[in-house]
Amino acid sequence: MSDLTQGQLLIDGQWREAGRGQRFDVLAPASESVLGSAAQADEPDVARAVTAARKGFAQWSSLAPKLREAALLRAADWIEQHGLAQWLDLLIDESGSTISKARGEIAYSVDLLRIAAGEARRLYGDTFPNDDPQRVSMVFREPLGVVAIVSPYNAPLALLVKMVAFPLAAGNAVVIKPSEETPLIALAFARALLEAGIPAAAVNVVTGFGAECGAPLVSHPEIDGIALTGSTATGQRIGAAAMQRMLRTQLELGGKSALLVLRDVDVDKAATIAATGMFSHAGQICMANSRIVVEAPAYDAFLKAFKAACESLHLGDLRDPDTAYGPLINRRALEKVQQHQRNATERGTELLTGGSVVRGLTYAPTVLLEPPRDCSAWRDESFGPITSVVKANDLDDAIAIANDSEFGLSAGVLTHNAQWGFRAARGIRSGSVHIGMHSFQSNALAPIGGLGLSGIGRSGGRYSIEEFTELKWVSLELGCDDPA
């Protein structure tokens, strides 16, 4: 597979076409032209991949932890040495990333692999006391088996690496189903894993669409766990199906994250932080601060500064380091953002700035003022460059407004007052709260995940290991009679 734009399935260490011989086009969002193609898998292809992964699990899980650690470190070294040269253009073209975002994903992937490698040696068990002194109780941590990985398009390398590296470190095998929007970078990463020495059958990739590829994968009887980063609607379907077999699932889903701007802030700095937290990658970030809650004393000054910050964002060529963001992933994503805007403005919501297509799939930074609290722009994830700003009377009111959501993934609090910030952090119902920062934060060691419609489970560092292992209690009776 020398041409990275012509993807094949990876099953049992072999690059192969789909059983039916069908392929689908992969489009470049910036031009909406065909970038390449990928094999279109269906249920028999998925079944072959899962069967291979079962064999790969037996091989991979039996290796000493130091050998799993070494393989993941070799993969990290390979990406560090070759990733920029071989993958940078593919990431930019396939996902519509800016060059700075693409570079960041590659660097972050190296960190993720090295952190995951270290976790291979830390599958700690435990002991606990028994009332009977002749009995010993031990707790072992064991891998699940075969994990289905369903990865997203918005950070198609970094999030995939995170979703794969930690299950592998724990001794699991994986079958990857990447987003049909960005299958090519996933295949490139899988190739790097094989070159690093991970047993061929332990990493399998099937590319295709949800109904004929994703659904058979997550419902296959030989799948032992599921990891999804994606929409809430997809997570609800997968979660419901998984519960029929009581499968372990880790679901990082949508968000409608709040950023609180309190009365003591420097509004110019706050506006810059808010714009960065909202419009990175055109708002196609689940933790983007798509609801901005400003205390009344700072409201008017913040609006002026935020409008200026939004309108100063450079929306140029993706390879221009000054470009703030690029296109939405496809036409459907653009139409969703436009529909959310119309839903608000047709009900009298003021448009502070934006609301128009710059070119192609690139949409201007769009800010709504005081939208109705039951409109889609306030309640639903837009996953695009559109945010709402509302006024709060005081800190308690700001916290209440932040909690006016079925989502609970992340939040930010801009203040110089540590007590106010900590009070907000304790009061906001969210998987994470960041004081002095916007809501879009990531750390390879942190427990990333949310509450409510934002999903279940946590990913990152040892928290991922906990998701992809089971605990087993083993007891030993010391006072047994000699069988002889």
Side-chain angles (χ1 to χ4, degrees):
M1 196 180 68
S2 58
D3 184 355
L4 294 179
T5 65
Q6 300 302 312
Q8 295 175 298
L9 309 181
L10 176 60
I11 299 177
D12 203 5
Q14 300 296 315
W15 298 103
R16 56 188 293 172
E17 292 298 326
R20 295 179 301 170
Q22 291 189 313
R23 300 182 67 82
F24 63 96
D25 289 338
V26 179
L27 303 183
S31 62
E32 296 184 84
S33 61
V34 176
L35 172 66
S37 67
Q40 186 171 331
D42 62 2
E43 188 168 359
D45 297 310
V46 170
R48 284 188 284 270
V50 175
T51 299
R54 180 59 56 189
K55 177 178 68 174
F57 169 63
Q59 298 170 342
W60 179 243
S61 62
S62 65
L63 292 180
K66 68 177 182 180
L67 298 179
R68 294 201 301 271
E69 176 191 51
L72 292 168
L73 288 174
R74 286 194 297 271
D77 291 344
W78 189 96
I79 295 174
E80 187 171 55
Q81 295 165 16
H82 306 292
L84 283 175
Q86 297 194 21
W87 296 352
L88 187 63
D89 285 335
L90 179 60
L91 259 177
I92 293 170
D93 293 335
E94 187 178 32
S95 66
S97 296
T98 63
I99 190 169
S100 58
K101 175 181 176 290
R103 288 180 182 275
E105 278 201 57
I106 293 170
Y108 190 46
S109 297
V110 173
D111 288 343
L112 284 164
L113 282 163
R114 288 179 176 155
I115 290 169
E119 292 297 331
R121 290 181 182 265
R122 289 193 284 271
L123 298 177
Y124 297 137
D126 205 352
T127 62
F128 58 88
N130 288 276
D131 290 335
D132 183 348
Q134 296 300 311
R135 183 166 294 174
V136 175
S137 285
M138 298 160 283
V139 179
F140 292 88
R141 186 173 289 281
E142 298 181 342
L144 299 179
V146 178
V147 177
I149 306 290
V150 184
S151 61
Y153 63 77
N154 59 330
L157 178 62
L159 287 177
L160 174 63
V161 172
K162 185 179 184 181
M163 297 173 75
V164 168
F166 291 102
L168 287 177
N172 299 283
V174 297
V175 180
I176 301 165
K177 191 279 178 192
S179 168
E180 62 269 23
E181 304 292 346
T182 52
L184 303 177
I185 192 63
L187 294 165
F189 170 58
R191 188 177 193 183
L193 291 177
L194 296 189
E195 292 182 3
I198 291 176
V203 177
N204 301 269
V205 187
V206 287
T207 54
F209 298 90
E212 60 185 13
C213 180
L217 174 60
V218 299
S219 62
H220 194 284
E222 291 296 311
I223 289 294
D224 302 299
I226 302 170
L228 164 75
T229 299
S231 71
T232 294
T234 301
Q236 288 171 322
R237 290 194 297 271
I238 288 178
M243 286 302 99
Q244 298 301 310
R245 293 179 50 223
M246 298 300 172
L247 289 185
R248 181 72 63 84
T249 57
Q250 190 268 312
L251 307 174
E252 184 179 333
L253 308 178
K256 200 68 180 176
S257 298
L259 176 67
L260 275 56
V261 180
L262 303 188
R263 65 181 65 207
D264 64 323
V265 299
D266 179 318
V267 292
D268 292 318
K269 291 181 179 178
T272 299
I273 292 170
T276 301
M278 179 57 234
F279 298 113
S280 294
H281 198 44
Q284 297 172 112
I285 302 292
C286 53
M287 293 179 283
N289 43 246
S290 53
R291 297 182 302 141
I292 301 174
V293 184
V294 186
E295 268 198 291
Y299 185 79
D300 291 337
F302 175 80
L303 287 187
K304 181 179 179 181
F306 190 46
K307 183 176 187 292
C310 294
E311 294 175 352
S312 69
L313 294 175
H314 177 59
L315 306 182
D317 185 88
L318 293 176
R319 288 169 174 79
D320 179 350
D322 293 329
T323 294
Y325 67 80
L328 291 162
I329 192 67
N330 56 34
R331 186 66 49 179
R332 294 187 306 278
L334 174 62
E335 291 171 352
K336 181 179 180 180
V337 171
Q338 292 174 314
Q339 189 276 328
H340 280 196
Q341 180 199 318
R342 286 195 301 270
N343 178 259
T345 54
E346 288 175 357
R347 296 176 62 184
T349 301
E350 181 182 347
L351 186 66
L352 180 68
T353 188
S356 61
V357 173
V358 176
R359 64 181 172 278
L361 299 177
T362 301
Y363 203 65
T366 299
V367 181
L368 302 170
L369 299 184
E370 304 290 343
R373 301 296 170 82
D374 61 348
C375 76
S376 57
W378 178 262
R379 302 228 65 88
D380 302 331
E381 184 175 45
S382 304
F383 219 61
I386 179 171
T387 189
S388 300
V389 182
V390 299
K391 184 188 298 185
N393 296 323
D394 51 31
L395 178 55
D396 289 336
D397 189 33
I399 293 170
I401 293 171
N403 287 335
D404 178 28
S405 177
E406 295 179 285
F407 297 94
L409 185 58
S410 186
V413 184
L414 299 184
T415 180
H416 299 294
N417 187 306
Q419 291 180 322
W420 294 352
F422 198 74
R423 188 167 132 207
R426 294 300 302 272
I428 295 172
R429 293 190 67 259
S430 182
S432 61
V433 179
H434 306 284
I435 303 169
M437 295 171 278
H438 52 65
S439 58
F440 172 31
Q441 305 294 327
S442 188
N443 185 305
L445 292 168
I448 303 297
L451 310 176
L453 295 185
S454 291
I456 57 175
R458 297 293 184 269
S459 67
R462 67 179 178 87
Y463 307 100
S464 283
I465 297 297
E466 292 170 2
E467 296 289 340
F468 299 112
T469 54
E470 291 282 9
L471 297 178
K472 179 184 286 184
W473 171 33
V474 176
S475 63
L476 171 65
E477 177 61 57
L478 299 177
C480 295
D481 294 335
D482 188 338

